[in-house]
Amino acid sequence: MESIRLRDVARSVRMRIVVSILVVTALGMTVAGVVTIFVQRERVLAQIDTRLAGTADDIRLAATTGDADGELPSSVRDLLNTAMARVIPDTNESTVGVIDGAAALVPAADLPFRLDDDPAFLARVLADARGGEVVVGTIDADAGTLRYVVVPVSIEGDPQTGLYVSAYNVSAELAEVRDAFTTYAIVAAGALVVIGLVGWFVSGRLLRPIRSLRETAARISVSDLSERIPVSGTDDVSDLTRTVNTMLDRLENSFLSQRRLLDDVSHELNTPLTIVRGHLELMDADEPDEVRATRDIAIDELDRMDNLVVDIGLLVKSRNPDFVRVSPTDIAELTEMVHQKASMLSGNHAWLLGDVAEVEASVDAARLTQGWLQLAENAAKYSATFTPIEIGSSVVTDAAGHPAVELWVLDEGEGIADDVQDRIFYRFTRVQEGRGIDGSGLGLAIVAAIAEAHNGSVQLESTLGSGSRFAIRLPLASVDAPRRDEDAEDDEVVSAVAEVDPVPPRAAEATSVAVAVAEDASEHDTAPRDHAPVPHEHDDGVDFDAIIGPGTGSGKGRRR
């Protein structure tokens, strides 16, 4: 267990950061140290050569100025004695006077090393001096690496020949540089340890939100999405933490929405399944009439489930970027076309054409037709027979003062209570349950999705007992703008439901708007569909124009 933990630490981002810092720092320190010692070494060697070159000048000066009393040397030995008395060796320097090939004179001062005791060195010096010129060389002697100079000495009238030899112990001279580099290396190693500890601590604090993110993600489950990462500071990592918390909020909302959707779908699908199962269990297979009745009930319930799946699939598509395909559309022509289509929905209502907005906008005419007809169908469902339903469009100004166009439907039906108006656009919400009015509770949700896909909204004005006015409001100033990128809360769960390939609605159900409109939207065709004409005047002789007058209403003007 301990080895696994150490392996995890060794592979962690924190360790990688610290190791990277240490490697770069160590590399920089090493390069700096090597360059420094190289420069210092070359400087020391240059100083040795400079001092050796000055030795030849000192010998010439002794030959021309003489000793302390001013007496000029008369022999080679005198000159060498005068030179050794005047030139005091440095700390790591030694000298020797050679006469006729033998070491004859050494300084009286204490020397760090002696040259007259090294035969190999003397042999090298004698070999270099055969040319009679000043020679500078390097040799590995018993005392170490020596850098030397050989100065030939001669006095006119003296048959003897002499050599003044001075040598520096290069190893000893460079020892200070090596000691300095050793000290530098020790200090650098200590600095690396300190940098590693500081880097480990700082990286740990900086990566703490990421560790919290990992631990929080490990604790998050489908049943509990409430975990959040504590935020502290204002740096980039803190901003990342805030972003992740925002993402978790969206995920939680999405999962909650999916959960609600599953509950809603399971509830809505359970009813027809229960009905079919109950009739099949009670059906007497030997009674043909009962079998036919049960079959009709089962088919009717399956058709209702089919329409439900179609509507759910449409809601899923409304979250796709290509749900609407806008093009320049004449709103006046669209209004007249929708009025013509709506007039085929019900022969028990007077369909009036109200105000018409003379404006052109970039919209998806097919989708708007679908949503508009859904509003018209709802108006027909919840309005008493022989009452007028008015369809129109108008240019308005929204709350921010921007121009907008409204595509509205006005009825004189039952109206909607104030406490219900805020939730009728939710999925599977119906104002009247169990009163024999067909519908899945998804119609207004689809209308709202179509409006949102156009960057618009659905407006509702209703008074209980006085009818309702539904309007799809589209901002004229931004109808060409891209669809808003909102969080798709239901896509994953609903997509699984929408994958069912529904059976196309039958021709006998052409008057059902939920099916007819769904077909119209899937075809993406704005042309009127083929329906059997339904006359406005029925066999009982009811004349709608005589009851309500000509259809010249203005939508809001007829509201009470």
Side-chain angles (χ1 to χ4, degrees), residues 414-459:
E414 302 175 0
I416 303 172
D418 293 340
D419 58 343
V420 182
Q421 294 183 14
D422 292 336
R423 58 185 179 87
I424 60 173
F425 296 99
Y426 296 162
R427 297 184 307 266
F428 304 112
T429 300
R430 302 178 63 188
V431 177
Q432 295 180 351
E433 297 285 353
R435 292 196 177 185
I437 299 179
D438 294 333
S440 62
L442 293 174
L444 291 179
I446 293 175
V447 175
I450 293 174
E452 291 175 3
H454 287 83
N455 292 334
S457 61
V458 181
Q459 306 294 318

Side-chain angles (χ1 to χ4, degrees), residues 364-378:
D364 189 328
R367 293 297 185 195
L368 288 181
T369 300
Q370 179 182 5
W372 210 343
L373 289 177
Q374 181 66 58
L375 296 179
E377 185 215 12
N378 285 355

